[in-house]
Amino acid sequence: MRVIGLIGGMSWESSVEYYRIINEEVKRRLGGLHSAKCLLYSVDFHEIERYQSEGAWEKAGEVLGNAARSLEKGGADFIVICTNTMHKVIGDIQSKINIPLLHIADATATQIQEKGINSVGLLGTRYTMEQDFYKSRLELNGIQVIVPNDNDREIVNKVIYEELCLGKIHQESREYYKKVIEGLIKFGAKGIILGCTEIGLLVKPEDSDVPIFDTTYIHAFEAVNMSLNRV
């Protein structure tokens, strides 16, 4: 079993899900008392969010790069960044280490392609929905990406930072997300990417008439595959 290096804390609410999913899947596959070999470096999200809002991405990349280097020194065989948005600085992180990074968008694209879907709606932070670092990775795999309108993007982002990252789950926010999903489907989305690792705490498969791609689960399962040398 290869050692998984997890960069978490962005937010810790979703990092908990990564740890749970990875360990449950290892136990399911191997049986008995098996659990995952992993290391977790949990950063202070207040610091990272401040760098995001200031546009100081190089500083955020330096923090996460140092975290990845610490995980490598601790014995990690590969790195999983437990968030979608911070894949924007994946180049900065990779430059500090000599072990591979498992990209969340690549793992998600594989799942989408296996379903035979070529058009998806993307929900996430405004950085993920508006900038190209994530969408372009999907488009390189032949997947068309549709994002909500300006107003919906603002509210989707607000719910993430002001509710989900703080562990607050509100039914009215779930209903709003469901309306946003319906709008994306009307514009041609054949699947919906939960492109923020907290959204799966709010939106479930039954909330959509098309397949939901929960990036937290997808990324965590792929980490197990890589740990068990099944990729």
Side-chain angles (χ1 to χ4, degrees), residues 112 117-123 143-148 180-193 208-213:
I112 294 168
I117 292 173
N118 58 13
S119 177
V120 294
L122 174 63
L123 301 177
I143 300 167
Q144 179 190 6
V145 180
I146 304 168
V147 297
V180 173
I181 289 171
E182 290 172 4
L184 292 170
I185 293 171
K186 288 179 181 178
F187 275 99
K190 303 302 182 185
I192 301 294
I193 297 176
S208 171
D209 291 332
V210 298
I212 289 283
F213 296 94

Side-chain angles (χ1 to χ4, degrees), residues 10 15 17 20 40 53 66 90 111 114 120 128 160-161 169 211 217:
M10 302 168 286
S15 301
E17 289 298 291
R20 179 185 63 79
L40 170 64
S53 62
N66 289 337
I90 195 168
Q111 290 288 316
E114 288 179 356
V120 294
T128 301
I160 291 169
Y161 283 98
I169 308 297
Y217 273 86

Side-chain angles (χ1 to χ4, degrees), residues 10-11 14 17-18 45 52 81-87 104 108 121-129 134 156-161 164-165 177 192-203 212-217:
M10 302 168 286
S11 67
S14 62
E17 289 298 291
Y18 268 88
F45 191 34
Q52 290 177 345
I81 311 168
C82 302
T83 169
N84 285 269
T85 299
M86 296 314 298
H87 280 72
I104 196 168
T108 302
L122 174 63
L123 301 177
T125 66
R126 61 187 177 91
Y127 310 109
T128 301
M129 291 186 289
Y134 194 90
V156 166
N157 183 77
K158 184 177 181 180
V159 168
I160 291 169
Y161 283 98
L164 301 182
C165 287
Y177 268 56
I192 301 294
I193 297 176
L194 307 186
C196 171
T197 51
E198 282 80 21
I199 297 179
L201 302 172
L202 181 70
V203 176
I212 289 283
F213 296 94
D214 187 334
T215 54
T216 301
Y217 273 86

Side-chain angles (χ1 to χ4, degrees), residues 4-19 39-46 48 63-64 67-68 71 79-83 86 93 197-198 219:
I4 306 169
L6 300 164
I7 303 179
M10 302 168 286
S11 67
W12 71 261
E13 299 283 347
S14 62
S15 301
V16 168
E17 289 298 291
Y18 268 88
Y19 188 73
L39 301 172
L40 170 64
Y41 191 116
S42 190
V43 302
D44 179 2
F45 191 34
H46 178 84
I48 299 299
V63 172
L64 299 190
L71 290 169
I79 299 295
V80 172
I81 311 168
C82 302
T83 169
M86 296 314 298
I93 300 170
T197 51
E198 282 80 21
H219 206 199

